[in-house]
Amino acid sequence: VKQFHQEPNTGVRTAEFLLGAFDVKESKLVVDPAAPSVVQSYVRGTMCDLTGQPRAVDVKFLCNDRPNALSYL
């Protein structure tokens, strides 16, 4: 997963960060009958200059009762 900053007028990317790479061992299935979901963990990203720690992000896929509907968090 990548994050980037782009100048609106020129489209030039001024910064780009790797938020993490997929790790099957870190990912998990969340079993909650009210809101079943799958969480994919992305770890070992670009070092954060504020915290000194590697960036990481979780992408959560929620099960929807309408198969053709999309929703984003």
Side-chain angles (χ1 to χ4, degrees), residues 7-41:
E7 292 297 323
N9 297 331
T10 64
V12 174
R13 289 186 183 183
T14 57
E16 183 171 295
F17 306 99
L18 178 64
L19 297 182
F22 178 70
D23 186 337
V24 69
K25 293 178 185 174
E26 297 282 335
S27 296
K28 51 199 163 285
L29 173 65
V30 179
V31 180
D32 177 358
S37 62
V38 173
V39 177
Q40 287 184 345
S41 297

Side-chain angles (χ1 to χ4, degrees), residues 34-63:
S37 62
V38 173
V39 177
Q40 287 184 345
S41 297
Y42 293 77
V43 296
R44 296 180 299 282
T46 306
M47 197 65 67
C48 177
D49 58 345
L50 297 176
T51 66
Q53 299 295 315
R55 298 173 196 269
V57 65
D58 286 336
V59 177
K60 185 175 186 178
F61 298 91
L62 299 173
C63 296

